[in-house]
């Protein structure tokens, strides 16, 4: 089994910064794509940013230019640097590991973290 553990959430004023981290552990062979999603109260979960094992990135239009996703393949860890935060960025942020191959598990699977709260005050 693969576990994802997020850290780095918290309360910050508008215009401030936070850095989220997510470490994947378990009998991992390879993780294709890692990313961050978020869910605000009363809204659907939405993509924030993703990064492939080769470093290709994809961002939601709402965070382009403010957020930066990065990854350490050797540590199976993904990061999200969030700058110029806005109140509308307030949400629970979930780490995602997509198309994960691990020992003892047949076929690639997708895993989610438990989520970390990010609150931006105005």
């Amino acid at each position: 089994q693969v576990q994802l553990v997020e850290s780095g959430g918290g309360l910050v004023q508008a215009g401030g910064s936070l850095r989220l981290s997510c470490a994947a552990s378990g009998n991992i062979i390879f993780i294709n794509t890692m990313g961050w999603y978020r869910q605000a109260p009363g809204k659907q979960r939405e993509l924030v940013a993703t990064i492939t094992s080769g470093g290709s990135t994809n961002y939601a239009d709402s965070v382009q230019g403010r957020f930066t996703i990065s990854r350490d393949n050797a540590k199976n860890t993904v990061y999200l640097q969030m700058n110029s935060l806005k109140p509308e960025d307030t949400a629970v942020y979930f780490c995602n590991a997509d198309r994960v191959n691990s020992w003892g598990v047949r076929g690639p699977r997708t895993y989610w973290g438990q989520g970390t709260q990010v609150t931006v005050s105005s």
Side-chain angles (χ1 to χ4, degrees):
Q1 206 37 287
V2 174
Q3 295 84 36
L4 303 180
V5 178
E6 301 116 332
S7 61
L11 173 64
V12 65
Q13 288 188 331
S17 299
L18 283 174
R19 187 185 192 221
L20 305 183
S21 300
C22 171
S25 62
N27 297 324
I28 297 169
I29 300 170
F30 177 75
I31 302 175
N32 189 304
T33 301
M34 300 188 78
W36 292 94
Y37 292 71
R38 66 187 182 187
Q39 187 167 17
K43 295 187 177 181
Q44 290 188 327
R45 190 173 297 189
E46 63 177 6
L47 179 147
V48 176
T50 61
I51 183 168
T52 68
S53 58
S56 296
T57 58
N58 180 48
Y59 293 93
D61 289 343
S62 59
V63 307
Q64 184 78 44
R66 300 188 297 121
F67 291 9
T68 302
I69 190 169
S70 60
R71 176 174 172 172
D72 185 333
N73 289 329
K75 296 181 179 179
N76 290 323
T77 298
V78 64
Y79 307 95
L80 186 69
Q81 178 66 43
M82 304 185 293
N83 298 328
S84 302
L85 282 161
K86 304 176 181 179
E88 50 263 44
D89 294 319
T90 295
V92 178
Y93 284 68
F94 295 90
C95 177
N96 172 271
D98 188 41
R99 285 176 286 166
V100 180
N101 288 283
S102 56
W103 297 107
V105 177
R106 180 176 296 180
R109 294 191 181 184
T110 296
Y111 297 92
W112 291 91
Q114 292 297 307
T116 185
Q117 177 70 46
V118 171
T119 303
V120 184
S121 62
S122 57

